[in-house]
Amino acid sequence: MSTVTLRNLGKSFGKTQVLKDIDLQIEDGEFVVLVGPSGCGKSTTLRIIAGLEEATTGTVEIAGRVVNNLEPKDRDIAMVFQNYAIYPHMTVRKNIGFGLRTARMTRAEKDERIEEVARILDMTDLLARKPSQLSGGQRQRVAIGRAMVRDPAVFLFDEPLSNLDAQLRTQMRLEIKKLHQRVESTIIFVTHDQVEAMTMADRIVIMKDGVIQQVGTPSDVYHKPANTFVAGFIGAPSMNMLPGTGSSDGILLKSGVNFTGGPAGTEGRSVLLGVRPEDLTPNGAATLVEGRVTVREPLGHETLIYVDTGAGEVIAKADGRHPPAVGETIRLSALPQNVHIFDAATGQALT
Amino acid sequence: MTATDIRASSETLLTVEAPKKAANMGQVVRWLILFLGGIVMIMPIVYMLSTSLKWPHEVYNVNLWPKEPTIENYTFVLEDGRFYGWMINSTVIALITTASNLFFDSLVGYTLCKFRFPGRYIVFIAILSTLMIPTEMLVIPWYLMSQQFGWLDSYWGIMFPGLMTAFGTFLMKQFFETVPDDFIEAARIDGLNELQIWWTVAMPLVRPALAALAIFVFLGNWTAFIWPLIVTNSVEMYTLPVGLSSFGDEADVQWELIMTGAAISTIPTLVFFLVFQRFIIRGVVMAGLKG
Ligand SMILES: Nc1ncnc2c1ncn2[C@@H]1O[C@H](COP(=O)(O)OP(=O)(O)OP(=O)(O)O)[C@@H](O)[C@H]1O
Ligand SMILES: [Mg+2]
């Protein structure tokens, strides 16, 4: 258990800069998820924390101690890789015990520790098997077991679930979360799946092009996105962005609708009005969106409807049982507190 | 082969369509070509064995089966004390060079494959380019070197040119490319030093390549002729091929004895091959099933 602090971290491969000014304070026992599109530098950040990659600028502190010049093994961390990296030529027992090779423990203590980990992960009867005789989920569990056995201060996970099928992924997600509650270690988890991020994290770090966009609780990043990128990245389907211009009594949307409300001081500026599909409801007070339904996508408990407003398409969620028909003209409105206003030029949130 | 392997290969066989008439003809031709190829490969061995069973006067007779077969040659060779000495020389030299190649080729191959350091590419090209120089050209510098260092007529003199090979280094480097970096990084995090990672993680994953290399190197050294012939002077230092060629004198080459010695000397290579080929075949099967 310990804190992790990244100060002014930067990384360049040759001339290409892949991380810029990463500042992040992770509390003791916190579950932090790094999320972002492919190539945004999540893995690189994790690898710098692990010591597999050297930072070009800035420092990494683990438990208050600068570790930039320490070998991975001296950093008190463990890492779980995307393709498990469990050794095919060793049994499950050997794989899990691998991290204890250099530990100062007696043989009996080591065996006891391995069995304890196997019990926690429900793998006691698999200990004698080779990885080739395991399923994908079991292999991933072995990889986690190998990380757990050393009882590290910080766990690093690099997309550990992306090789699993959807159902198994949901299950492992829950298992990792339970594991965290049990061992109470600090966890840094990398994924590009925003559902994974939302469901597991205490705090989410959203990255893009090597820059942190926002750090906050799942609720923060969902309800108060810092910019249009975060707004679009978190939540599925994405938040609708309606272009408009600030005026003295609100925002005049391109579709001709006037939205009363929004922050002061936007007069004359181009803005984007963001509203999530689930926040758009029919027959409200002030209409925000008016248009014809072009496509319906039934999902069971709800139906996605695509509405052509004349000034772009808007996605809304409608009731699963009685969705509006295709071709029907509908009016949708949103509560003022569910509407987000962004500066169109910078993308920064104004609300 | 394990049961699954056999099942896998029989399934592949079953997927081959039942041959039609036209295909049958093609099949006959194919079998014929393979059969002829087999004959070409096996004939020297058959002649070696048959000659070893002939009396000297019959050696230049090309019939396959000797008129008066005899094991006299075997008795002679095995009772001639020199043969055992040569056998021991060859065995010791082939085993040491094989072990040395497995160790150093894979160590250098691993370094060239998994580490980024300045000059890495140049070193690799330099090693590769030595493959283009034929042994015949190297023999003279080797000889001069051995002479200066006083290595002539010694095990070390026979072995030193082959303790590491460019081919082996290249082979191992290519095979280490198939070992994912994640394995190595995971081991690094688990606290192993680089030498331990190489030995406990990377080496077991390239076992098929090591087995192939072992067979190549062992056979190469077992059958090496030119260099051992040049570097050795005393009969006691001869390797098997050199020793066998010394049966007879300028006037009279005793083929039946040479063939007898050759026949006996194939036994260790057969044993060596049977031991190591298991790993190669298993490696190939495993790779095939995963892909
Ligand atoms: N060894 C390297 N040499 C050069 N460029 C690299 C190297 N490793 C990563 N990069 C670059 O750094 C950027 C960030 O890579 P990184 O692996 O951190 O992305 P990521 O966020 O983990 O993406 P993904 O979700 O696809 O795993 C990418 O543009 C990548 O091309
Ligand atoms: Mg990555």
mmCIF file of all heavy atoms in Angstrom, chain A residues 47 50 52 72-73 77-79 81-83 85-90 98-99 101-102 146 150, chain B residues 180-194 196 200-202 204-205 207 290:
data_model
loop_
_atom_site.group_PDB
_atom_site.id
_atom_site.type_symbol
_atom_site.label_atom_id
_atom_site.label_comp_id
_atom_site.label_asym_id
_atom_site.label_seq_id
_atom_site.Cartn_x
_atom_site.Cartn_y
_atom_site.Cartn_z
ATOM 1 N N ARG A 47 4.306 1.861 -18.020
ATOM 2 C CA ARG A 47 5.642 1.266 -18.124
ATOM 3 C C ARG A 47 6.702 2.149 -17.462
ATOM 4 O O ARG A 47 7.697 1.647 -16.951
ATOM 5 C CB ARG A 47 5.994 1.002 -19.593
ATOM 6 C CG ARG A 47 5.132 -0.113 -20.206
ATOM 7 C CD ARG A 47 5.226 -0.116 -21.716
ATOM 8 N NE ARG A 47 6.602 -0.243 -22.155
ATOM 9 C CZ ARG A 47 7.262 -1.394 -22.197
ATOM 10 N NH1 ARG A 47 6.643 -2.503 -21.867
ATOM 11 N NH2 ARG A 47 8.506 -1.441 -22.579
ATOM 12 N N ALA A 50 6.378 1.417 -13.878
ATOM 13 C CA ALA A 50 6.953 0.105 -13.578
ATOM 14 C C ALA A 50 8.474 0.104 -13.665
ATOM 15 O O ALA A 50 9.126 -0.760 -13.089
ATOM 16 C CB ALA A 50 6.389 -0.936 -14.548
ATOM 17 N N LEU A 52 9.985 -0.024 -16.690
ATOM 18 C CA LEU A 52 10.356 -0.707 -17.929
ATOM 19 C C LEU A 52 10.758 0.293 -18.995
ATOM 20 O O LEU A 52 11.345 -0.055 -20.012
ATOM 21 C CB LEU A 52 9.187 -1.555 -18.435
ATOM 22 C CG LEU A 52 8.785 -2.703 -17.525
ATOM 23 C CD1 LEU A 52 7.494 -3.345 -17.993
ATOM 24 C CD2 LEU A 52 9.897 -3.731 -17.472
ATOM 25 N N PRO A 72 13.023 -2.098 -11.871
ATOM 26 C CA PRO A 72 11.634 -2.492 -11.631
ATOM 27 C C PRO A 72 11.473 -3.316 -10.355
ATOM 28 O O PRO A 72 10.536 -3.120 -9.598
ATOM 29 C CB PRO A 72 11.290 -3.328 -12.859
ATOM 30 C CG PRO A 72 12.195 -2.848 -13.915
ATOM 31 C CD PRO A 72 13.447 -2.378 -13.240
ATOM 32 N N LYS A 73 12.410 -4.228 -10.123
ATOM 33 C CA LYS A 73 12.235 -5.143 -9.000
ATOM 34 C C LYS A 73 12.358 -4.440 -7.656
ATOM 35 O O LYS A 73 11.898 -4.945 -6.648
ATOM 36 C CB LYS A 73 13.239 -6.290 -9.089
ATOM 37 C CG LYS A 73 14.684 -5.874 -8.979
ATOM 38 C CD LYS A 73 15.525 -7.142 -8.968
ATOM 39 C CE LYS A 73 16.962 -7.000 -8.847
ATOM 40 N NZ LYS A 73 17.896 -6.185 -9.223
ATOM 41 N N ILE A 77 6.431 -3.057 -6.993
ATOM 42 C CA ILE A 77 5.250 -3.056 -7.849
ATOM 43 C C ILE A 77 5.094 -4.442 -8.467
ATOM 44 O O ILE A 77 6.030 -5.239 -8.451
ATOM 45 C CB ILE A 77 5.395 -2.038 -9.004
ATOM 46 C CG1 ILE A 77 6.786 -2.207 -9.656
ATOM 47 C CG2 ILE A 77 5.224 -0.621 -8.527
ATOM 48 C CD1 ILE A 77 6.745 -2.375 -11.091
ATOM 49 N N ALA A 78 3.928 -4.716 -8.990
ATOM 50 C CA ALA A 78 3.734 -5.920 -9.795
ATOM 51 C C ALA A 78 2.891 -5.517 -10.987
ATOM 52 O O ALA A 78 2.095 -4.586 -10.900
ATOM 53 C CB ALA A 78 3.032 -7.009 -8.998
ATOM 54 N N MET A 79 3.095 -6.206 -12.091
ATOM 55 C CA MET A 79 2.396 -5.803 -13.308
ATOM 56 C C MET A 79 1.738 -7.007 -13.961
ATOM 57 O O MET A 79 2.299 -8.098 -13.995
ATOM 58 C CB MET A 79 3.400 -5.162 -14.273
ATOM 59 C CG MET A 79 2.765 -4.559 -15.498
ATOM 60 S SD MET A 79 3.861 -3.300 -16.192
ATOM 61 C CE MET A 79 3.105 -3.010 -17.763
ATOM 62 N N PHE A 81 0.128 -8.194 -17.576
ATOM 63 C CA PHE A 81 0.197 -7.776 -18.977
ATOM 64 C C PHE A 81 -1.044 -8.204 -19.748
ATOM 65 O O PHE A 81 -1.751 -9.121 -19.355
ATOM 66 C CB PHE A 81 1.424 -8.386 -19.641
ATOM 67 C CG PHE A 81 2.717 -7.857 -19.100
ATOM 68 C CD1 PHE A 81 3.262 -8.374 -17.936
ATOM 69 C CD2 PHE A 81 3.388 -6.841 -19.755
ATOM 70 C CE1 PHE A 81 4.460 -7.894 -17.437
ATOM 71 C CE2 PHE A 81 4.580 -6.356 -19.260
ATOM 72 C CZ PHE A 81 5.116 -6.878 -18.104
ATOM 73 N N GLN A 82 -1.217 -7.544 -20.885
ATOM 74 C CA GLN A 82 -2.383 -7.817 -21.709
ATOM 75 C C GLN A 82 -2.439 -9.281 -22.157
ATOM 76 O O GLN A 82 -3.470 -9.919 -22.066
ATOM 77 C CB GLN A 82 -2.365 -6.903 -22.937
ATOM 78 C CG GLN A 82 -3.505 -7.182 -23.890
ATOM 79 C CD GLN A 82 -3.573 -6.164 -25.010
ATOM 80 O OE1 GLN A 82 -2.865 -5.161 -24.994
ATOM 81 N NE2 GLN A 82 -4.427 -6.407 -25.961
ATOM 82 N N ASN A 83 -1.309 -9.818 -22.627
ATOM 83 C CA ASN A 83 -1.342 -11.215 -23.058
ATOM 84 C C ASN A 83 -0.792 -12.131 -21.967
ATOM 85 O O ASN A 83 -0.121 -13.111 -22.242
ATOM 86 C CB ASN A 83 -0.614 -11.412 -24.376
ATOM 87 C CG ASN A 83 0.744 -10.773 -24.355
ATOM 88 O OD1 ASN A 83 1.266 -10.473 -23.280
ATOM 89 N ND2 ASN A 83 1.308 -10.552 -25.499
ATOM 90 N N ALA A 85 1.497 -13.045 -20.241
ATOM 91 C CA ALA A 85 2.920 -13.291 -19.999
ATOM 92 C C ALA A 85 3.138 -14.320 -18.894
ATOM 93 O O ALA A 85 3.979 -14.150 -18.037
ATOM 94 C CB ALA A 85 3.661 -11.992 -19.670
ATOM 95 N N ILE A 86 2.342 -15.391 -18.928
ATOM 96 C CA ILE A 86 2.675 -16.495 -18.020
ATOM 97 C C ILE A 86 3.489 -17.487 -18.826
ATOM 98 O O ILE A 86 3.251 -17.679 -20.010
ATOM 99 C CB ILE A 86 1.433 -17.156 -17.388
ATOM 100 C CG1 ILE A 86 0.424 -17.569 -18.444
ATOM 101 C CG2 ILE A 86 0.793 -16.208 -16.395
ATOM 102 C CD1 ILE A 86 -0.754 -18.298 -17.881
ATOM 103 N N TYR A 87 4.476 -18.100 -18.151
ATOM 104 C CA TYR A 87 5.465 -18.892 -18.879
ATOM 105 C C TYR A 87 4.900 -20.236 -19.274
ATOM 106 O O TYR A 87 4.491 -21.021 -18.418
ATOM 107 C CB TYR A 87 6.717 -19.055 -18.031
ATOM 108 C CG TYR A 87 7.211 -17.738 -17.524
ATOM 109 C CD1 TYR A 87 7.230 -17.445 -16.172
ATOM 110 C CD2 TYR A 87 7.614 -16.758 -18.422
ATOM 111 C CE1 TYR A 87 7.655 -16.213 -15.716
ATOM 112 C CE2 TYR A 87 8.038 -15.525 -17.975
ATOM 113 C CZ TYR A 87 8.058 -15.260 -16.620
ATOM 114 O OH TYR A 87 8.465 -14.049 -16.174
ATOM 115 N N PRO A 88 4.871 -20.533 -20.573
ATOM 116 C CA PRO A 88 4.249 -21.775 -21.032
ATOM 117 C C PRO A 88 4.958 -23.036 -20.546
ATOM 118 O O PRO A 88 4.362 -24.093 -20.494
ATOM 119 C CB PRO A 88 4.325 -21.670 -22.564
ATOM 120 C CG PRO A 88 5.321 -20.617 -22.854
ATOM 121 C CD PRO A 88 5.361 -19.701 -21.676
ATOM 122 N N HIS A 89 6.239 -22.905 -20.191
ATOM 123 C CA HIS A 89 6.975 -24.114 -19.824
ATOM 124 C C HIS A 89 6.936 -24.400 -18.325
ATOM 125 O O HIS A 89 7.591 -25.307 -17.853
ATOM 126 C CB HIS A 89 8.419 -24.012 -20.298
ATOM 127 C CG HIS A 89 9.138 -22.810 -19.757
ATOM 128 N ND1 HIS A 89 8.869 -21.529 -20.195
ATOM 129 C CD2 HIS A 89 10.086 -22.685 -18.815
ATOM 130 C CE1 HIS A 89 9.636 -20.681 -19.549
ATOM 131 N NE2 HIS A 89 10.383 -21.352 -18.702
ATOM 132 N N MET A 90 6.169 -23.600 -17.580
ATOM 133 C CA MET A 90 6.103 -23.825 -16.139
ATOM 134 C C MET A 90 4.661 -24.126 -15.735
ATOM 135 O O MET A 90 3.726 -23.624 -16.331
ATOM 136 C CB MET A 90 6.541 -22.575 -15.380
ATOM 137 C CG MET A 90 7.973 -22.167 -15.640
ATOM 138 S SD MET A 90 8.326 -20.688 -14.671
ATOM 139 C CE MET A 90 9.855 -20.185 -15.433
ATOM 140 N N PHE A 98 6.870 -17.779 -9.177
ATOM 141 C CA PHE A 98 8.027 -17.206 -9.857
ATOM 142 C C PHE A 98 8.506 -15.919 -9.199
ATOM 143 O O PHE A 98 9.693 -15.695 -9.040
ATOM 144 C CB PHE A 98 7.674 -16.956 -11.319
ATOM 145 C CG PHE A 98 8.876 -16.825 -12.195
ATOM 146 C CD1 PHE A 98 9.664 -17.931 -12.451
ATOM 147 C CD2 PHE A 98 9.223 -15.619 -12.749
ATOM 148 C CE1 PHE A 98 10.781 -17.827 -13.252
ATOM 149 C CE2 PHE A 98 10.340 -15.510 -13.547
ATOM 150 C CZ PHE A 98 11.114 -16.621 -13.801
ATOM 151 N N GLY A 99 7.531 -15.091 -8.808
ATOM 152 C CA GLY A 99 7.898 -13.816 -8.202
ATOM 153 C C GLY A 99 8.536 -13.965 -6.823
ATOM 154 O O GLY A 99 9.090 -13.002 -6.300
ATOM 155 N N ARG A 101 10.901 -16.233 -6.201
ATOM 156 C CA ARG A 101 12.224 -16.844 -6.342
ATOM 157 C C ARG A 101 13.287 -16.139 -5.514
ATOM 158 O O ARG A 101 14.099 -16.768 -4.871
ATOM 159 C CB ARG A 101 12.664 -16.792 -7.810
ATOM 160 C CG ARG A 101 12.048 -17.831 -8.679
ATOM 161 C CD ARG A 101 12.443 -17.514 -10.107
ATOM 162 N NE ARG A 101 13.885 -17.339 -10.177
ATOM 163 C CZ ARG A 101 14.718 -18.239 -10.674
ATOM 164 N NH1 ARG A 101 14.247 -19.343 -11.157
ATOM 165 N NH2 ARG A 101 16.007 -18.011 -10.712
ATOM 166 N N THR A 102 13.262 -14.804 -5.609
ATOM 167 C CA THR A 102 14.333 -14.052 -4.956
ATOM 168 C C THR A 102 13.946 -13.592 -3.555
ATOM 169 O O THR A 102 14.727 -12.931 -2.890
ATOM 170 C CB THR A 102 14.708 -12.836 -5.820
ATOM 171 O OG1 THR A 102 13.508 -12.169 -6.183
ATOM 172 C CG2 THR A 102 15.440 -13.260 -7.066
ATOM 173 N N ARG A 146 0.308 -14.333 -9.974
ATOM 174 C CA ARG A 146 1.741 -14.098 -9.949
ATOM 175 C C ARG A 146 2.060 -12.694 -9.447
ATOM 176 O O ARG A 146 3.074 -12.466 -8.801
ATOM 177 C CB ARG A 146 2.321 -14.304 -11.344
ATOM 178 C CG ARG A 146 3.805 -14.510 -11.296
ATOM 179 C CD ARG A 146 4.371 -14.748 -12.644
ATOM 180 N NE ARG A 146 4.128 -13.610 -13.490
ATOM 181 C CZ ARG A 146 4.409 -13.594 -14.775
ATOM 182 N NH1 ARG A 146 4.909 -14.652 -15.346
ATOM 183 N NH2 ARG A 146 4.170 -12.529 -15.493
ATOM 184 N N ARG A 150 3.556 -11.568 -4.411
ATOM 185 C CA ARG A 150 4.631 -10.798 -3.774
ATOM 186 C C ARG A 150 4.093 -9.690 -2.878
ATOM 187 O O ARG A 150 4.857 -8.942 -2.292
ATOM 188 C CB ARG A 150 5.537 -10.198 -4.839
ATOM 189 C CG ARG A 150 6.468 -11.239 -5.418
ATOM 190 C CD ARG A 150 7.488 -10.588 -6.294
ATOM 191 N NE ARG A 150 6.843 -9.781 -7.312
ATOM 192 C CZ ARG A 150 7.348 -8.659 -7.776
ATOM 193 N NH1 ARG A 150 8.474 -8.195 -7.313
ATOM 194 N NH2 ARG A 150 6.711 -7.982 -8.713
ATOM 195 N N PRO B 180 7.958 -13.316 -26.845
ATOM 196 C CA PRO B 180 7.381 -11.986 -26.636
ATOM 197 C C PRO B 180 8.140 -11.199 -25.559
ATOM 198 O O PRO B 180 8.555 -11.774 -24.552
ATOM 199 C CB PRO B 180 5.956 -12.273 -26.162
ATOM 200 C CG PRO B 180 5.684 -13.675 -26.520
ATOM 201 C CD PRO B 180 6.999 -14.383 -26.550
ATOM 202 N N ASP B 181 8.300 -9.906 -25.788
ATOM 203 C CA ASP B 181 9.012 -9.055 -24.824
ATOM 204 C C ASP B 181 8.317 -9.051 -23.466
ATOM 205 O O ASP B 181 8.957 -8.858 -22.439
ATOM 206 C CB ASP B 181 9.098 -7.617 -25.350
ATOM 207 C CG ASP B 181 10.114 -7.521 -26.477
ATOM 208 O OD1 ASP B 181 10.910 -8.462 -26.624
ATOM 209 O OD2 ASP B 181 10.106 -6.520 -27.204
ATOM 210 N N ASP B 182 6.998 -9.264 -23.473
ATOM 211 C CA ASP B 182 6.257 -9.252 -22.211
ATOM 212 C C ASP B 182 6.820 -10.272 -21.220
ATOM 213 O O ASP B 182 6.890 -10.010 -20.026
ATOM 214 C CB ASP B 182 4.772 -9.562 -22.450
ATOM 215 C CG ASP B 182 4.026 -8.348 -22.966
ATOM 216 O OD1 ASP B 182 4.677 -7.296 -23.136
ATOM 217 O OD2 ASP B 182 2.816 -8.455 -23.196
ATOM 218 N N PHE B 183 7.222 -11.442 -21.739
ATOM 219 C CA PHE B 183 7.794 -12.463 -20.856
ATOM 220 C C PHE B 183 9.021 -11.919 -20.151
ATOM 221 O O PHE B 183 9.215 -12.097 -18.958
ATOM 222 C CB PHE B 183 8.213 -13.694 -21.659
ATOM 223 C CG PHE B 183 7.060 -14.577 -22.049
ATOM 224 C CD1 PHE B 183 7.048 -15.208 -23.276
ATOM 225 C CD2 PHE B 183 6.006 -14.786 -21.188
ATOM 226 C CE1 PHE B 183 5.998 -16.024 -23.646
ATOM 227 C CE2 PHE B 183 4.947 -15.599 -21.541
ATOM 228 C CZ PHE B 183 4.948 -16.218 -22.779
ATOM 229 N N ILE B 184 9.842 -11.255 -20.937
ATOM 230 C CA ILE B 184 11.106 -10.765 -20.407
ATOM 231 C C ILE B 184 10.857 -9.640 -19.411
ATOM 232 O O ILE B 184 11.469 -9.576 -18.339
ATOM 233 C CB ILE B 184 11.993 -10.322 -21.581
ATOM 234 C CG1 ILE B 184 12.399 -11.566 -22.368
ATOM 235 C CG2 ILE B 184 13.210 -9.555 -21.101
ATOM 236 C CD1 ILE B 184 12.885 -11.283 -23.742
ATOM 237 N N GLU B 185 9.908 -8.772 -19.747
ATOM 238 C CA GLU B 185 9.622 -7.659 -18.843
ATOM 239 C C GLU B 185 8.964 -8.155 -17.558
ATOM 240 O O GLU B 185 9.247 -7.646 -16.468
ATOM 241 C CB GLU B 185 8.738 -6.642 -19.567
ATOM 242 C CG GLU B 185 9.517 -5.973 -20.683
ATOM 243 C CD GLU B 185 8.714 -4.941 -21.431
ATOM 244 O OE1 GLU B 185 7.472 -4.970 -21.352
ATOM 245 O OE2 GLU B 185 9.335 -4.094 -22.094
ATOM 246 N N ALA B 186 8.098 -9.152 -17.706
ATOM 247 C CA ALA B 186 7.470 -9.713 -16.502
ATOM 248 C C ALA B 186 8.539 -10.277 -15.574
ATOM 249 O O ALA B 186 8.506 -10.060 -14.362
ATOM 250 C CB ALA B 186 6.474 -10.800 -16.890
ATOM 251 N N ALA B 187 9.503 -10.968 -16.155
ATOM 252 C CA ALA B 187 10.573 -11.542 -15.340
ATOM 253 C C ALA B 187 11.425 -10.443 -14.705
ATOM 254 O O ALA B 187 11.873 -10.566 -13.573
ATOM 255 C CB ALA B 187 11.446 -12.449 -16.203
ATOM 256 N N ARG B 188 11.616 -9.368 -15.446
ATOM 257 C CA ARG B 188 12.394 -8.246 -14.921
ATOM 258 C C ARG B 188 11.702 -7.667 -13.694
ATOM 259 O O ARG B 188 12.337 -7.358 -12.688
ATOM 260 C CB ARG B 188 12.504 -7.182 -16.016
ATOM 261 C CG ARG B 188 13.859 -6.549 -16.117
ATOM 262 C CD ARG B 188 13.974 -5.765 -17.400
ATOM 263 N NE ARG B 188 14.620 -6.544 -18.442
ATOM 264 C CZ ARG B 188 14.577 -6.238 -19.733
ATOM 265 N NH1 ARG B 188 13.903 -5.178 -20.140
ATOM 266 N NH2 ARG B 188 15.207 -6.988 -20.613
ATOM 267 N N ILE B 189 10.370 -7.521 -13.791
ATOM 268 C CA ILE B 189 9.612 -7.002 -12.656
ATOM 269 C C ILE B 189 9.657 -7.988 -11.500
ATOM 270 O O ILE B 189 9.729 -7.613 -10.340
ATOM 271 C CB ILE B 189 8.157 -6.703 -13.078
ATOM 272 C CG1 ILE B 189 8.140 -5.493 -14.011
ATOM 273 C CG2 ILE B 189 7.272 -6.455 -11.867
ATOM 274 C CD1 ILE B 189 6.781 -5.123 -14.517
ATOM 275 N N ASP B 190 9.671 -9.280 -11.843
ATOM 276 C CA ASP B 190 9.732 -10.296 -10.790
ATOM 277 C C ASP B 190 11.105 -10.374 -10.137
ATOM 278 O O ASP B 190 11.319 -11.209 -9.257
ATOM 279 C CB ASP B 190 9.356 -11.672 -11.352
ATOM 280 C CG ASP B 190 7.854 -11.838 -11.454
ATOM 281 O OD1 ASP B 190 7.142 -11.124 -10.731
ATOM 282 O OD2 ASP B 190 7.392 -12.662 -12.258
ATOM 283 N N GLY B 191 12.027 -9.572 -10.589
ATOM 284 C CA GLY B 191 13.283 -9.448 -9.861
ATOM 285 C C GLY B 191 14.420 -10.314 -10.358
ATOM 286 O O GLY B 191 15.408 -10.499 -9.665
ATOM 287 N N LEU B 192 14.306 -10.862 -11.558
ATOM 288 C CA LEU B 192 15.425 -11.638 -12.084
ATOM 289 C C LEU B 192 16.426 -10.703 -12.753
ATOM 290 O O LEU B 192 16.031 -9.691 -13.328
ATOM 291 C CB LEU B 192 14.921 -12.648 -13.123
ATOM 292 C CG LEU B 192 14.489 -13.997 -12.575
ATOM 293 C CD1 LEU B 192 13.226 -13.849 -11.755
ATOM 294 C CD2 LEU B 192 14.263 -14.971 -13.705
ATOM 295 N N ASN B 193 17.708 -11.050 -12.685
ATOM 296 C CA ASN B 193 18.663 -10.253 -13.439
ATOM 297 C C ASN B 193 18.707 -10.760 -14.880
ATOM 298 O O ASN B 193 18.115 -11.788 -15.201
ATOM 299 C CB ASN B 193 20.044 -10.237 -12.765
ATOM 300 C CG ASN B 193 20.683 -11.609 -12.754
ATOM 301 O OD1 ASN B 193 20.550 -12.379 -13.703
ATOM 302 N ND2 ASN B 193 21.371 -11.925 -11.674
ATOM 303 N N GLU B 194 19.403 -10.019 -15.737
ATOM 304 C CA GLU B 194 19.304 -10.306 -17.175
ATOM 305 C C GLU B 194 19.776 -11.716 -17.519
ATOM 306 O O GLU B 194 19.211 -12.371 -18.389
ATOM 307 C CB GLU B 194 20.098 -9.276 -17.973
ATOM 308 C CG GLU B 194 19.587 -7.849 -17.815
ATOM 309 C CD GLU B 194 18.121 -7.684 -18.185
ATOM 310 O OE1 GLU B 194 17.660 -8.355 -19.127
ATOM 311 O OE2 GLU B 194 17.430 -6.891 -17.520
ATOM 312 N N GLN B 196 19.661 -14.359 -15.555
ATOM 313 C CA GLN B 196 18.636 -15.309 -15.107
ATOM 314 C C GLN B 196 17.452 -15.320 -16.065
ATOM 315 O O GLN B 196 16.862 -16.361 -16.325
ATOM 316 C CB GLN B 196 18.143 -14.933 -13.715
ATOM 317 C CG GLN B 196 19.156 -15.183 -12.614
ATOM 318 C CD GLN B 196 18.687 -14.600 -11.302
ATOM 319 O OE1 GLN B 196 18.148 -13.487 -11.269
ATOM 320 N NE2 GLN B 196 18.892 -15.318 -10.217
ATOM 321 N N THR B 200 16.357 -18.800 -17.482
ATOM 322 C CA THR B 200 15.151 -19.469 -16.986
ATOM 323 C C THR B 200 13.902 -19.144 -17.795
ATOM 324 O O THR B 200 12.939 -19.889 -17.732
ATOM 325 C CB THR B 200 14.854 -19.104 -15.514
ATOM 326 O OG1 THR B 200 14.814 -17.688 -15.414
ATOM 327 C CG2 THR B 200 15.877 -19.660 -14.577
ATOM 328 N N VAL B 201 13.892 -18.041 -18.511
ATOM 329 C CA VAL B 201 12.683 -17.687 -19.253
ATOM 330 C C VAL B 201 12.869 -17.857 -20.751
ATOM 331 O O VAL B 201 12.102 -18.563 -21.407
ATOM 332 C CB VAL B 201 12.246 -16.238 -18.929
ATOM 333 C CG1 VAL B 201 11.065 -15.835 -19.791
ATOM 334 C CG2 VAL B 201 11.899 -16.119 -17.459
ATOM 335 N N ALA B 202 13.903 -17.233 -21.298
ATOM 336 C CA ALA B 202 14.032 -17.235 -22.759
ATOM 337 C C ALA B 202 14.497 -18.596 -23.292
ATOM 338 O O ALA B 202 13.928 -19.114 -24.250
ATOM 339 C CB ALA B 202 14.990 -16.132 -23.198
ATOM 340 N N PRO B 204 14.211 -21.802 -22.224
ATOM 341 C CA PRO B 204 13.243 -22.897 -22.348
ATOM 342 C C PRO B 204 12.240 -22.678 -23.484
ATOM 343 O O PRO B 204 11.686 -23.630 -24.010
ATOM 344 C CB PRO B 204 12.515 -22.887 -20.997
ATOM 345 C CG PRO B 204 13.448 -22.213 -20.066
ATOM 346 C CD PRO B 204 14.182 -21.210 -20.882
ATOM 347 N N LEU B 205 12.030 -21.414 -23.859
ATOM 348 C CA LEU B 205 11.041 -21.138 -24.898
ATOM 349 C C LEU B 205 11.599 -21.378 -26.302
ATOM 350 O O LEU B 205 10.843 -21.378 -27.263
ATOM 351 C CB LEU B 205 10.530 -19.698 -24.773
ATOM 352 C CG LEU B 205 9.738 -19.419 -23.491
ATOM 353 C CD1 LEU B 205 9.383 -17.954 -23.385
ATOM 354 C CD2 LEU B 205 8.480 -20.261 -23.460
ATOM 355 N N ARG B 207 13.593 -24.104 -27.033
ATOM 356 C CA ARG B 207 14.143 -25.452 -27.007
ATOM 357 C C ARG B 207 14.211 -26.109 -28.389
ATOM 358 O O ARG B 207 15.224 -26.736 -28.704
ATOM 359 C CB ARG B 207 13.321 -26.322 -26.066
ATOM 360 C CG ARG B 207 14.114 -26.652 -24.823
ATOM 361 C CD ARG B 207 13.335 -27.578 -23.931
ATOM 362 N NE ARG B 207 13.348 -27.073 -22.588
ATOM 363 C CZ ARG B 207 12.399 -27.306 -21.699
ATOM 364 N NH1 ARG B 207 11.333 -28.015 -22.033
ATOM 365 N NH2 ARG B 207 12.493 -26.821 -20.491
ATOM 366 N N LYS B 290 -0.998 -24.007 -32.652
ATOM 367 C CA LYS B 290 -1.385 -22.682 -32.175
ATOM 368 C C LYS B 290 -1.863 -21.812 -33.317
ATOM 369 O O LYS B 290 -2.854 -21.136 -33.230
ATOM 370 C CB LYS B 290 -0.193 -22.011 -31.488
ATOM 371 C CG LYS B 290 -0.262 -22.166 -29.981
ATOM 372 C CD LYS B 290 0.841 -21.366 -29.338
ATOM 373 C CE LYS B 290 1.346 -22.069 -28.110
ATOM 374 N NZ LYS B 290 2.741 -21.790 -27.862
#
